[in-house]
Amino acid sequence: MKVFLSCDHAGIELKNEICEYVASKEGFEAVNLGIELGEKIDYPVAAENLCKKVLEENALGILICGTGIGMSMSANKVNGIRAAAVSEPYSAKLTRTHNDANVLCMGARVVGPELAKMIVDNFLEAEFEGGRHKTRVDLMTDIENRNK
Ligand code: RB5
């Protein structure tokens, strides 16, 4: 499974550490969309770029800013994206198994690297359960379609 990673200037170091971590996990290919130290980008720009790739390649995404919140708000503006700002492993797992999230957002000022790796493990290793959860995810898509 391909995993795109991106960040704003608040998340560069954590993004790079998580990128290496994802690359080391069997079955996952990490694609670093930037940015790098010395660069700056506004989180909505980084989020939209990554979300387009996630949708084009039916992949997963990881976005890191200061809190994870700006990234998740921006990502969720893109039709077809279900992004969750997460700061602990339980929600990371459930947002895949129940919400079919395709983008994980984390805050570099909220979680340290080791906790972030546990969150990433739970997110990437979980699978959508479908069934009653599909009904609810479809209802979310209906909201999207009614409010285009
Ligand atoms: C940038 O300073 C900061 O506002 C941003 O990274 C993020 O936390 C926004 O949600």
Side-chain angles (χ1 to χ4, degrees), residues 8-11 43 65-71 109:
D8 72 357
H9 38 277
Y43 58 81
C65 62
T67 59
I69 296 170
M71 284 294 194
R109 297 171 183 157

Side-chain angles (χ1 to χ4, degrees), residues 6-148:
S6 187
C7 63
D8 72 357
H9 38 277
I12 296 168
E13 279 148 331
L14 183 60
K15 181 266 292 169
N16 284 341
E17 190 159 349
I18 294 301
C19 196
E20 270 183 36
Y21 184 67
V22 172
S24 76
K25 281 177 76 71
E26 206 179 311
F28 296 97
E29 180 193 346
V31 182
N32 187 346
L33 299 179
I35 59 173
E36 299 306 332
L37 283 174
E39 297 179 316
K40 274 198 161 205
I41 193 169
D42 293 321
Y43 58 81
V45 178
E48 186 179 13
N49 288 342
L50 176 135
C51 289
K52 284 181 176 164
K53 301 262 184 208
V54 165
L55 294 173
E56 276 164 19
E57 303 204 28
N58 196 22
L60 294 172
I62 298 176
L63 286 167
I64 299 176
C65 62
T67 59
I69 296 170
M71 284 294 194
S72 65
M73 287 181 167
S74 304
N76 280 315
K77 302 285 182 198
V78 180
N79 284 347
I81 292 296
R82 288 175 299 280
V86 168
S87 54
E88 37 74 32
Y90 178 77
S91 300
K93 179 175 178 178
L94 271 281
T95 201
R96 288 275 277 140
T97 58
H98 288 193
N99 312 130
D100 199 18
N102 47 12
V103 174
L104 169 69
C105 304
M106 293 186 290
R109 297 171 183 157
V110 179
V111 296
E114 296 312 312
L115 178 57
K117 287 173 195 168
M118 290 176 74
I119 290 169
V120 165
D121 283 342
N122 276 268
F123 183 80
L124 294 183
E125 289 165 22
E127 277 182 26
F128 182 48
E129 288 175 3
R132 69 185 193 282
H133 301 299
K134 181 171 185 324
T135 309
R136 294 161 187 162
V137 169
D138 288 346
L139 287 167
M140 286 200 282
T141 305
D142 290 347
I143 296 174
E144 209 169 61
N145 291 335
R146 280 197 302 274
N147 292 280
K148 270 180 183 163

